[in-house]
Structure formats: C-alpha cells, structure tokens
Amino acid sequence: MDYFKWSQEYMEEAALVLRNIDRLKEKQKTAPLNQKQTIADNIMKLRHIYYECVHTAAYLRGLYEEKRNAA
C-alpha cells in the first residue's frame, strides 16, 4: 500500500473542500438573510470534512515515514 500517494490524495481532496468553503463564504456575503444560516451550516460541515481529510493525510504520511524508516 502506498501511504504517501494515499496521503497526497487526501490533501488534494482537502484542497477541493477548501475551495468550496471559500465559494460558500463569498455566496454568504450577498445571500438573503433567510439563507445565511443554511450556508453557515454547510460551511461548518465542510470544515469538518476538511479537517478530517487533513488529519487523515497526516496520519497516512506518518505511516509512510514509519515504513520508510523501518526499511
């Protein structure tokens, strides 16, 4: 299993999620008042996904480093 590649894939996904967060933040600025909370809720959900991706990528990178150092 290539932990390094897998880690990179998670970081790429995190970058995509972050771009979506940025888009929603921009949309929220001009959204009607009745939609702002829904957008804020969606941003919170995406932030959770972003942090999960980043933490998983770091964990996989650590496994890669352990495997590389053990060899």
Side-chain angles (χ1 to χ4, degrees):
M1 185 169 287
D2 189 349
Y3 292 116
F4 182 78
K5 181 180 176 188
W6 205 8
S7 172
Q8 287 180 315
E9 289 172 2
Y10 268 94
M11 286 306 295
E12 289 169 8
E13 192 65 31
L16 289 173
V17 172
L18 196 55
R19 278 188 288 233
N20 286 325
I21 290 171
D22 291 339
R23 284 188 200 123
L24 283 175
K25 284 181 179 179
E26 286 300 314
K27 183 178 179 181
Q28 189 179 33
K29 291 177 184 177
T30 60
L33 190 58
N34 63 342
Q35 291 180 5
K36 287 189 181 225
Q37 186 59 49
T38 302
I39 294 170
D41 292 343
N42 289 334
I43 290 171
M44 278 185 28
K45 290 174 188 175
L46 287 174
R47 279 188 180 143
H48 180 74
I49 293 168
Y50 170 78
Y51 290 123
E52 288 292 323
C53 287
V54 170
H55 288 284
T56 302
Y59 174 74
L60 291 169
R61 179 66 65 106
L63 290 177
Y64 167 77
E65 294 294 331
E66 284 179 22
K67 189 176 178 182
R68 190 176 74 173
N69 291 336

